[in-house]
Coordinates of all heavy atoms in Angstrom, one line a residue:
M1 N 0.8 -1.2 0.0 CA 0.0 0.0 0.0 C 0.9 1.3 0.0 O 2.1 1.1 0.2 CB -0.9 0.0 1.3 CG -1.9 -1.1 1.3 SD -3.6 -0.8 0.7 CE -3.5 -0.2 -0.8
S2 N 0.3 2.3 -0.3 CA 1.1 3.6 -0.4 C 1.3 4.2 1.0 O 0.7 3.9 2.0 CB 0.2 4.5 -1.2 OG -0.9 5.0 -0.4
A3 N 2.4 5.0 0.9 CA 2.8 5.7 2.2 C 1.7 6.7 2.6 O 1.5 6.9 3.7 CB 4.1 6.4 1.9
F4 N 1.0 7.2 1.5 CA -0.2 8.1 1.8 C -1.2 7.4 2.7 O -1.7 7.9 3.7 CB -0.7 8.6 0.6 CG -1.8 9.6 0.7 CD1 -1.7 10.9 1.3 CD2 -3.2 9.2 0.4 CE1 -2.7 11.7 1.5 CE2 -4.2 10.1 0.6 CZ -4.0 11.3 1.2
F5 N -1.5 6.1 2.3 CA -2.5 5.3 3.1 C -2.0 5.2 4.5 O -2.8 5.4 5.4 CB -2.8 4.0 2.4 CG -3.7 3.1 3.1 CD1 -5.1 3.3 3.0 CD2 -3.2 2.1 3.9 CE1 -6.0 2.4 3.8 CE2 -4.1 1.2 4.6 CZ -5.4 1.4 4.5
R6 N -0.8 4.8 4.7 CA -0.3 4.6 6.0 C -0.3 5.9 6.8 O -0.7 5.8 8.0 CB 1.2 4.1 5.9 CG 1.2 2.7 5.3 CD 2.7 2.2 5.3 NE 2.7 0.9 4.7 CZ 3.4 0.6 3.6 NH1 4.2 1.5 3.0 NH2 3.3 -0.7 3.1
Q7 N 0.0 7.0 6.2 CA 0.0 8.3 7.0 C -1.5 8.6 7.3 O -1.8 9.1 8.4 CB 0.5 9.4 6.1 CG 2.0 9.3 6.1 CD 2.7 9.6 7.4 OE1 2.0 9.6 8.5 NE2 4.0 9.7 7.5
Q8 N -2.4 8.3 6.5 CA -3.8 8.6 6.8 C -4.3 7.7 8.0 O -5.0 8.2 8.9 CB -4.8 8.3 5.6 CG -4.7 9.3 4.5 CD -5.7 8.9 3.4 OE1 -5.5 7.9 2.8 NE2 -6.7 9.8 3.1
V9 N -3.9 6.4 8.0 CA -4.2 5.6 9.1 C -3.6 6.1 10.4 O -4.3 6.2 11.4 CB -3.8 4.1 8.8 CG1 -3.9 3.3 10.1 CG2 -4.5 3.5 7.7
L10 N -2.4 6.5 10.3 CA -1.7 7.1 11.5 C -2.3 8.4 12.0 O -2.5 8.6 13.2 CB -0.2 7.2 11.3 CG 0.6 6.0 11.1 CD1 2.1 6.3 10.7 CD2 0.6 5.2 12.4
Q11 N -2.8 9.2 11.0 CA -3.5 10.4 11.4 C -4.8 10.1 12.2 O -5.1 10.7 13.2 CB -3.8 11.3 10.2 CG -2.7 12.1 9.7 CD -2.2 13.1 10.8 OE1 -1.1 13.0 11.2 NE2 -3.1 14.0 11.2
L12 N -5.6 9.1 11.6 CA -6.8 8.7 12.4 C -6.4 8.1 13.7 O -7.2 8.5 14.7 CB -7.5 7.7 11.5 CG -8.2 8.1 10.3 CD1 -8.9 6.9 9.6 CD2 -9.3 9.1 10.6
L13 N -5.5 7.3 13.8 CA -5.1 6.8 15.1 C -4.6 7.8 16.1 O -5.0 7.7 17.2 CB -4.0 5.7 14.9 CG -3.6 4.8 16.0 CD1 -4.8 4.1 16.6 CD2 -2.5 3.8 15.6
A14 N -3.8 8.7 15.6 CA -3.4 9.8 16.5 C -4.5 10.6 17.0 O -4.5 11.0 18.2 CB -2.4 10.7 15.8
S15 N -5.5 10.8 16.2 CA -6.7 11.6 16.6 C -7.5 10.8 17.6 O -7.9 11.5 18.7 CB -7.6 11.9 15.4 OG -8.7 12.5 15.8
V16 N -7.7 9.6 17.4 CA -8.4 8.8 18.4 C -7.7 8.5 19.8 O -8.3 8.6 20.8 CB -8.9 7.4 17.8 CG1 -9.5 6.5 18.8 CG2 -9.8 7.6 16.6
T17 N -6.4 8.3 19.6 CA -5.6 8.0 20.8 C -5.1 9.3 21.5 O -4.7 9.3 22.6 CB -4.4 7.1 20.5 OG1 -3.5 7.8 19.6 CG2 -4.8 5.8 20.0
E18 N -5.3 10.4 20.8 CA -4.9 11.7 21.4 C -3.4 11.7 21.7 O -3.0 12.4 22.6 CB -5.7 12.1 22.6 CG -7.2 12.1 22.3 CD -8.0 12.4 23.5 OE1 -7.5 12.4 24.6 OE2 -9.2 12.6 23.3
T19 N -2.6 11.1 20.8 CA -1.1 11.2 20.9 C -0.5 11.1 19.6 O -0.9 10.3 18.7 CB -0.5 10.1 21.9 OG1 0.9 10.2 22.0 CG2 -0.8 8.7 21.4
D20 N 0.6 11.8 19.4 CA 1.4 11.8 18.1 C 2.4 10.7 18.2 O 3.1 10.4 17.2 CB 2.0 13.1 17.8 CG 1.0 14.1 17.3 OD1 -0.1 13.7 16.7 OD2 1.1 15.3 17.5
E21 N 2.6 10.0 19.3 CA 3.6 9.0 19.5 C 3.3 7.8 18.5 O 4.2 7.2 18.1 CB 3.5 8.5 20.9 CG 4.7 7.6 21.2 CD 4.9 7.2 22.6 OE1 4.1 7.6 23.5 OE2 5.8 6.3 23.0
V22 N 2.1 7.7 18.1 CA 1.9 6.6 17.1 C 2.6 6.8 15.8 O 2.9 5.8 15.1 CB 0.3 6.4 16.8 CG1 -0.4 6.0 18.1 CG2 -0.3 7.6 16.2
H23 N 3.0 8.0 15.5 CA 3.7 8.3 14.3 C 5.2 7.9 14.4 O 5.8 7.5 13.4 CB 3.7 9.8 13.9 CG 2.4 10.4 13.5 ND1 1.9 10.1 12.2 CD2 1.4 11.0 14.1 CE1 0.7 10.7 12.0 NE2 0.4 11.2 13.2
T24 N 5.7 8.0 15.6 CA 7.1 7.8 15.8 C 7.5 6.4 16.4 O 8.6 6.0 16.3 CB 7.7 8.9 16.8 OG1 7.0 8.8 18.0 CG2 7.6 10.3 16.2
N25 N 6.5 5.7 16.9 CA 6.7 4.4 17.4 C 5.7 3.5 17.0 O 4.6 3.3 17.6 CB 6.7 4.4 19.0 CG 7.1 3.1 19.6 OD1 7.3 2.1 19.0 ND2 7.0 3.1 20.9
L26 N 5.9 2.8 15.9 CA 5.0 1.9 15.2 C 4.7 0.6 16.1 O 3.8 -0.1 15.8 CB 5.4 1.6 13.8 CG 5.3 2.7 12.8 CD1 5.8 2.3 11.4 CD2 4.0 3.5 12.8
E27 N 5.6 0.4 17.0 CA 5.5 -0.9 17.9 C 4.9 -0.4 19.3 O 4.9 -1.2 20.2 CB 6.8 -1.5 18.1 CG 7.3 -2.2 16.7 CD 6.3 -3.2 16.2 OE1 5.7 -3.9 16.9 OE2 6.3 -3.3 14.9
L28 N 4.3 0.7 19.4 CA 3.7 1.2 20.6 C 2.6 0.3 21.0 O 1.6 0.1 20.3 CB 3.2 2.6 20.4 CG 2.5 3.3 21.6 CD1 3.5 3.6 22.7 CD2 1.9 4.6 21.1
P29 N 2.6 -0.3 22.2 CA 1.5 -1.2 22.7 C 0.3 -0.4 23.0 O 0.2 0.1 24.1 CB 2.1 -2.0 23.8 CG 3.2 -1.0 24.4 CD 3.7 -0.2 23.2
L30 N -0.7 -0.3 22.1 CA -1.8 0.6 22.3 C -2.8 0.2 23.4 O -3.2 1.1 24.1 CB -2.6 0.6 20.9 CG -1.8 1.1 19.8 CD1 -2.5 0.9 18.5 CD2 -1.4 2.6 19.9
Y31 N -3.0 -1.1 23.6 CA -4.0 -1.4 24.7 C -3.3 -1.5 26.0 O -3.8 -1.0 27.0 CB -4.6 -2.8 24.3 CG -5.6 -2.7 23.2 CD1 -5.2 -3.1 21.9 CD2 -6.8 -2.2 23.4 CE1 -6.0 -3.0 20.8 CE2 -7.7 -2.1 22.2 CZ -7.3 -2.5 21.1 OH -8.1 -2.4 19.9
E32 N -2.0 -2.0 26.0 CA -1.3 -2.0 27.2 C -1.0 -0.6 27.8 O -0.9 -0.4 29.0 CB 0.0 -2.8 27.2 CG -0.2 -4.3 26.9 CD -0.5 -4.7 25.4 OE1 -0.6 -3.8 24.6 OE2 -0.9 -5.8 25.2
S33 N -0.8 0.3 26.9 CA -0.5 1.7 27.2 C -1.8 2.5 27.5 O -1.8 3.7 27.8 CB 0.3 2.4 26.1 OG 1.5 1.8 25.9
Q34 N -2.9 1.8 27.4 CA -4.2 2.4 27.6 C -4.6 3.6 26.7 O -5.4 4.4 27.0 CB -4.4 2.8 29.1 CG -4.3 1.6 30.0 CD -4.5 1.9 31.4 OE1 -4.5 3.1 31.9 NE2 -4.8 0.9 32.3
L35 N -3.9 3.5 25.5 CA -4.2 4.5 24.5 C -5.5 4.1 23.7 O -6.2 4.9 23.2 CB -3.1 4.7 23.6 CG -1.8 5.3 24.2 CD1 -0.6 5.2 23.3 CD2 -2.1 6.8 24.6
L36 N -5.8 2.8 23.6 CA -7.0 2.3 23.0 C -7.7 1.4 24.0 O -7.0 0.7 24.8 CB -6.7 1.4 21.8 CG -6.4 2.0 20.4 CD1 -6.2 1.0 19.4 CD2 -7.6 3.0 20.1
D37 N -9.0 1.5 24.1 CA -9.9 0.7 24.8 C -11.1 0.3 23.9 O -11.0 0.6 22.7 CB -10.3 1.4 26.2 CG -11.0 2.7 25.9 OD1 -11.6 3.0 24.8 OD2 -11.1 3.5 26.9
S38 N -12.0 -0.3 24.5 CA -13.2 -0.8 23.7 C -13.9 0.4 23.0 O -14.3 0.3 21.8 CB -14.1 -1.6 24.4 OG -14.6 -0.9 25.5
I39 N -14.1 1.5 23.8 CA -14.8 2.7 23.2 C -14.1 3.3 22.1 O -14.5 3.6 21.0 CB -15.1 3.7 24.3 CG1 -16.0 3.1 25.4 CG2 -15.7 5.0 23.7 CD1 -17.4 2.8 25.0
K40 N -12.7 3.5 22.3 CA -11.8 4.1 21.3 C -11.6 3.2 20.1 O -11.5 3.7 19.0 CB -10.5 4.6 21.9 CG -10.7 5.7 22.8 CD -9.3 6.2 23.3 CE -9.5 7.5 24.1 NZ -8.2 8.1 24.5
T41 N -11.7 1.9 20.3 CA -11.5 1.0 19.2 C -12.8 1.1 18.3 O -12.6 1.2 17.1 CB -11.4 -0.5 19.7 OG1 -10.2 -0.6 20.5 CG2 -11.3 -1.4 18.6
V42 N -14.0 1.2 18.9 CA -15.2 1.3 18.1 C -15.1 2.7 17.3 O -15.5 2.8 16.1 CB -16.5 1.3 18.9 CG1 -17.7 1.7 18.2 CG2 -16.6 -0.2 19.5
E43 N -14.7 3.8 18.0 CA -14.5 5.1 17.3 C -13.6 5.0 16.2 O -13.8 5.5 15.1 CB -14.0 6.1 18.4 CG -13.8 7.5 17.8 CD -13.2 8.5 18.8 OE1 -13.2 8.2 20.0 OE2 -12.8 9.5 18.2
L44 N -12.5 4.3 16.4 CA -11.5 4.1 15.2 C -12.1 3.3 14.1 O -12.0 3.7 12.9 CB -10.3 3.4 15.8 CG -9.1 3.2 14.8 CD1 -8.6 4.5 14.2 CD2 -8.0 2.4 15.5
M45 N -12.9 2.3 14.4 CA -13.6 1.6 13.3 C -14.6 2.5 12.6 O -14.6 2.3 11.3 CB -14.4 0.4 14.0 CG -13.6 -0.8 14.4 SD -14.7 -2.0 15.2 CE -13.5 -3.2 15.7
I46 N -15.3 3.3 13.2 CA -16.2 4.2 12.6 C -15.4 5.2 11.7 O -15.8 5.5 10.5 CB -17.1 5.0 13.6 CG1 -18.1 4.0 14.3 CG2 -17.8 6.1 13.0 CD1 -18.7 4.5 15.5
R47 N -14.3 5.7 12.3 CA -13.5 6.7 11.5 C -12.9 6.0 10.2 O -12.8 6.7 9.2 CB -12.5 7.3 12.4 CG -13.0 8.0 13.6 CD -13.3 9.5 13.5 NE -12.2 10.3 12.9 CZ -11.3 10.9 13.7 NH1 -11.3 10.8 15.1 NH2 -10.4 11.7 13.1
I48 N -12.5 4.8 10.4 CA -11.9 4.1 9.3 C -13.0 3.9 8.2 O -12.7 4.1 7.0 CB -11.3 2.7 9.7 CG1 -10.0 2.9 10.5 CG2 -11.1 1.8 8.5 CD1 -9.6 1.7 11.3
E49 N -14.2 3.5 8.6 CA -15.3 3.4 7.6 C -15.5 4.7 6.9 O -15.7 4.7 5.7 CB -16.5 2.8 8.2 CG -17.6 2.6 7.3 CD -18.9 2.0 7.9 OE1 -18.9 1.8 9.1 OE2 -19.8 1.7 7.1
E50 N -15.6 5.8 7.7 CA -15.9 7.1 7.0 C -14.8 7.5 6.1 O -15.0 8.0 5.0 CB -16.0 8.1 8.1 CG -17.2 7.9 9.0 CD -17.2 9.0 10.2 OE1 -16.2 9.6 10.6 OE2 -18.3 9.0 10.9
E51 N -13.5 7.3 6.5 CA -12.4 7.7 5.7 C -12.1 6.8 4.5 O -11.8 7.4 3.4 CB -11.1 7.8 6.6 CG -9.9 8.3 5.9 CD -9.8 9.8 5.6 OE1 -10.6 10.5 6.4 OE2 -9.1 10.1 4.7
F52 N -12.2 5.5 4.7 CA -11.8 4.6 3.6 C -12.9 3.8 3.0 O -12.7 3.0 2.1 CB -10.7 3.6 4.1 CG -9.5 4.3 4.7 CD1 -9.2 4.2 6.1 CD2 -8.6 5.0 4.0 CE1 -8.1 4.8 6.6 CE2 -7.5 5.6 4.5 CZ -7.3 5.6 5.8
G53 N -14.1 3.9 3.6 CA -15.2 3.1 3.2 C -15.0 1.6 3.5 O -15.6 0.7 2.9
L54 N -14.2 1.3 4.5 CA -13.8 0.0 4.9 C -14.6 -0.4 6.2 O -14.3 0.1 7.2 CB -12.3 -0.1 5.1 CG -11.7 -1.5 5.3 CD1 -12.1 -2.4 4.1 CD2 -10.3 -1.3 5.5
K55 N -15.6 -1.2 6.1 CA -16.5 -1.5 7.3 C -15.8 -2.7 8.0 O -15.6 -3.8 7.4 CB -17.9 -1.8 6.9 CG -18.7 -2.2 8.1 CD -20.2 -1.9 7.8 CE -21.1 -2.2 8.9 NZ -20.9 -1.3 10.1
I56 N -15.6 -2.5 9.3 CA -15.0 -3.6 10.1 C -16.1 -3.8 11.3 O -16.3 -2.9 12.1 CB -13.7 -3.1 10.7 CG1 -12.7 -2.8 9.6 CG2 -13.2 -4.3 11.6 CD1 -11.5 -2.2 10.0
S57 N -16.6 -4.9 11.2 CA -17.6 -5.2 12.2 C -16.9 -5.7 13.5 O -15.8 -6.3 13.4 CB -18.6 -6.3 11.8 OG -18.1 -7.5 11.8
P58 N -17.5 -5.5 14.7 CA -16.9 -6.0 15.8 C -16.6 -7.6 15.8 O -15.6 -8.0 16.5 CB -17.8 -5.7 16.9 CG -18.5 -4.4 16.4 CD -18.6 -4.7 14.9
A59 N -17.4 -8.3 15.1 CA -17.3 -9.7 15.0 C -16.0 -10.1 14.2 O -15.4 -11.1 14.4 CB -18.5 -10.3 14.3
E60 N -15.6 -9.2 13.3 CA -14.3 -9.4 12.5 C -13.1 -8.9 13.2 O -11.9 -9.2 12.8 CB -14.4 -8.6 11.2 CG -15.4 -9.1 10.3 CD -15.6 -8.2 9.1 OE1 -15.3 -7.0 9.2 OE2 -15.9 -8.7 8.0
F61 N -13.3 -8.2 14.2 CA -12.1 -7.5 15.0 C -11.4 -8.5 15.9 O -12.1 -9.2 16.7 CB -12.7 -6.4 15.8 CG -11.6 -5.8 16.7 CD1 -10.6 -5.0 16.2 CD2 -11.7 -6.0 18.1 CE1 -9.7 -4.4 17.1 CE2 -10.7 -5.5 18.9 CZ -9.8 -4.7 18.4
E62 N -10.1 -8.5 15.8 CA -9.3 -9.3 16.8 C -8.3 -8.4 17.4 O -7.4 -7.8 16.7 CB -8.6 -10.5 16.0 CG -9.6 -11.5 15.5 CD -8.9 -12.7 14.9 OE1 -7.8 -13.1 15.4 OE2 -9.5 -13.3 14.0
R63 N -8.4 -8.2 18.7 CA -7.6 -7.2 19.4 C -6.1 -7.4 19.2 O -5.3 -6.5 19.0 CB -7.9 -7.3 20.9 CG -7.2 -6.3 21.8 CD -7.6 -6.4 23.1 NE -6.7 -5.7 24.0 CZ -7.0 -5.3 25.2 NH1 -8.2 -5.5 25.7 NH2 -6.1 -4.7 25.9
E64 N -5.6 -8.7 19.1 CA -4.2 -8.9 18.9 C -3.7 -8.4 17.5 O -2.6 -8.1 17.3 CB -3.8 -10.4 19.0 CG -4.4 -11.4 18.2 CD -5.8 -12.0 18.7 OE1 -6.2 -11.5 19.7 OE2 -6.3 -12.8 18.0
N65 N -4.6 -8.3 16.6 CA -4.3 -7.8 15.2 C -4.2 -6.3 15.2 O -3.8 -5.7 14.2 CB -5.3 -8.3 14.2 CG -5.2 -9.7 13.9 OD1 -4.2 -10.4 14.3 ND2 -6.2 -10.3 13.3
W66 N -4.6 -5.6 16.4 CA -4.6 -4.1 16.4 C -3.8 -3.7 17.6 O -4.0 -2.6 18.1 CB -6.0 -3.6 16.5 CG -6.7 -3.5 15.2 CD1 -6.5 -4.3 14.1 CD2 -7.8 -2.6 14.8 NE1 -7.3 -3.9 13.0 CE2 -8.1 -2.9 13.5 CE3 -8.5 -1.6 15.5 CZ2 -9.2 -2.2 12.8 CZ3 -9.4 -0.9 14.8 CH2 -9.7 -1.2 13.5
G67 N -2.8 -4.5 18.1 CA -2.1 -4.2 19.3 C -1.1 -3.1 19.2 O -0.7 -2.4 20.1
T68 N -0.7 -2.7 17.9 CA 0.3 -1.7 17.7 C -0.2 -0.9 16.4 O -0.9 -1.4 15.6 CB 1.7 -2.2 17.5 OG1 1.7 -2.9 16.2 CG2 2.2 -3.1 18.6
P69 N 0.4 0.4 16.3 CA 0.1 1.0 15.0 C 0.5 0.3 13.8 O -0.3 0.2 12.8 CB 0.9 2.3 15.2 CG 1.0 2.6 16.6 CD 1.1 1.2 17.2
Y70 N 1.6 -0.4 13.8 CA 2.1 -1.3 12.7 C 1.0 -2.4 12.4 O 0.7 -2.6 11.3 CB 3.5 -1.8 13.0 CG 3.9 -2.8 11.8 CD1 4.4 -2.2 10.7 CD2 3.8 -4.1 12.0 CE1 4.7 -3.0 9.6 CE2 4.2 -5.0 10.9 CZ 4.7 -4.5 9.8 OH 5.0 -5.3 8.7
K71 N 0.5 -3.0 13.4 CA -0.4 -4.1 13.2 C -1.7 -3.6 12.6 O -2.4 -4.3 11.8 CB -0.7 -4.9 14.5 CG 0.5 -5.7 14.9 CD 0.2 -6.5 16.2 CE 1.3 -7.4 16.6 NZ 1.0 -8.2 17.8
I72 N -2.2 -2.4 13.1 CA -3.4 -1.9 12.5 C -3.2 -1.5 11.0 O -4.0 -1.9 10.2 CB -3.8 -0.6 13.3 CG1 -4.2 -1.0 14.7 CG2 -4.9 0.2 12.5 CD1 -4.5 0.2 15.6
I73 N -2.1 -1.0 10.7 CA -1.8 -0.7 9.3 C -1.8 -1.9 8.4 O -2.4 -2.0 7.4 CB -0.4 0.1 9.1 CG1 -0.5 1.5 9.7 CG2 0.0 0.1 7.6 CD1 0.7 2.3 9.9
A74 N -1.1 -3.0 8.9 CA -1.0 -4.2 8.2 C -2.4 -4.9 8.1 O -2.7 -5.4 7.0 CB 0.0 -5.2 9.0
D75 N -3.2 -4.8 9.1 CA -4.5 -5.5 9.0 C -5.4 -4.7 8.0 O -6.0 -5.3 7.2 CB -5.2 -5.4 10.4 CG -6.5 -6.0 10.4 OD1 -6.6 -7.3 10.1 OD2 -7.6 -5.4 10.7
L76 N -5.3 -3.3 8.1 CA -6.2 -2.6 7.1 C -5.7 -2.7 5.7 O -6.5 -2.8 4.8 CB -6.2 -1.1 7.5 CG -6.8 -0.7 8.8 CD1 -6.7 0.7 9.2 CD2 -8.2 -1.2 8.9
E77 N -4.4 -2.8 5.5 CA -3.8 -3.0 4.1 C -4.3 -4.4 3.6 O -4.7 -4.5 2.4 CB -2.3 -3.0 4.1 CG -1.8 -1.6 4.2 CD -0.3 -1.6 4.3 OE1 0.4 -2.6 4.7 OE2 0.3 -0.5 4.0
S78 N -4.3 -5.4 4.4 CA -4.8 -6.7 4.0 C -6.3 -6.7 3.7 O -6.7 -7.3 2.7 CB -4.5 -7.9 5.0 OG -5.3 -7.7 6.1
R79 N -7.1 -5.9 4.5 CA -8.5 -5.9 4.2 C -8.8 -5.0 2.9 O -9.7 -5.4 2.2 CB -9.2 -5.2 5.4 CG -9.3 -6.1 6.6 CD -9.8 -5.1 7.8 NE -9.7 -5.8 9.0 CZ -10.6 -6.6 9.6 NH1 -11.8 -6.8 8.9 NH2 -10.4 -7.2 10.7
V80 N -8.0 -4.0 2.6 CA -8.2 -3.2 1.4 C -7.8 -4.1 0.2 O -8.5 -4.1 -0.8 CB -7.3 -2.0 1.4 CG1 -7.2 -1.3 0.1 CG2 -7.8 -1.0 2.5
R81 N -6.8 -4.9 0.3 CA -6.4 -5.7 -0.8 C -7.5 -6.7 -1.1 O -7.8 -7.1 -2.3 CB -5.1 -6.5 -0.5 CG -3.9 -5.7 -0.8 CD -2.6 -6.5 -0.6 NE -1.6 -5.7 0.0 CZ -1.1 -5.8 1.2 NH1 -1.5 -6.8 1.9 NH2 -0.2 -5.0 1.6
V82 N -8.1 -7.3 -0.2 CA -9.2 -8.3 -0.3 C -10.4 -7.6 -1.0 O -11.1 -8.2 -1.8 CB -9.6 -8.9 1.0 CG1 -10.9 -9.7 0.9 CG2 -8.5 -9.8 1.5
N83 N -10.7 -6.3 -0.7 CA -11.9 -5.6 -1.1 C -11.7 -5.0 -2.4 O -12.6 -4.4 -3.0 CB -12.3 -4.6 -0.1 CG -12.9 -5.2 1.1 OD1 -13.5 -6.3 1.1 ND2 -12.8 -4.6 2.3
V84 N -10.5 -5.0 -3.0 CA -10.3 -4.3 -4.3 C -10.6 -5.2 -5.4 O -10.6 -6.4 -5.4 CB -8.7 -3.9 -4.4 CG1 -8.4 -3.4 -5.8 CG2 -8.4 -2.8 -3.3

């Protein structure tokens, strides 16, 4: 995927987590650092759908696949490839 897509994902993530650290540390443990919780995860899912048209239902969500900014980018890239 493009660097632009990755930057857009990181911008959404920074907005939801309220920290720019997601840009500089792609291995930041989001749940362990309490930057993401269930409410913020749902907010991120909604923002992803609005921004990219990519609907992620809670039934499809696996927390371990979204544990770091890098993992979120990788998961979304694989979903975009499947939907193209």
Side-chain angles (χ1 to χ4, degrees):
M1 296 263 55
S2 71
F4 181 71
F5 176 80
R6 292 181 184 127
Q7 283 297 6
Q8 285 181 296
V9 172
L10 290 174
Q11 279 299 116
L12 288 178
L13 187 56
S15 176
V16 171
T17 60
E18 301 175 354
T19 182
D20 287 331
E21 191 175 354
V22 298
H23 290 282
T24 58
N25 182 1
L26 295 180
E27 294 299 328
L28 181 65
L30 298 169
Y31 292 99
E32 292 80 5
S33 302
Q34 299 180 344
L35 294 170
L36 278 183
D37 57 19
S38 58
I39 300 291
K40 288 186 176 185
T41 299
V42 170
E43 180 183 348
L44 183 59
M45 287 177 181
I46 292 167
R47 303 270 305 269
I48 288 167
E49 183 176 2
E50 291 171 350
E51 182 73 25
F52 304 113
L54 187 59
K55 182 158 181 62
I56 301 167
S57 76
E60 297 173 327
F61 171 75
E62 293 186 32
R63 183 173 164 162
E64 62 269 7
N65 290 343
W66 280 27
T68 67
Y70 176 79
K71 287 182 177 183
I72 291 173
I73 291 168
D75 183 63
L76 294 179
E77 285 179 339
S78 70
R79 291 172 189 268
V80 168
R81 280 188 214 110
V82 168
N83 289 330
V84 173

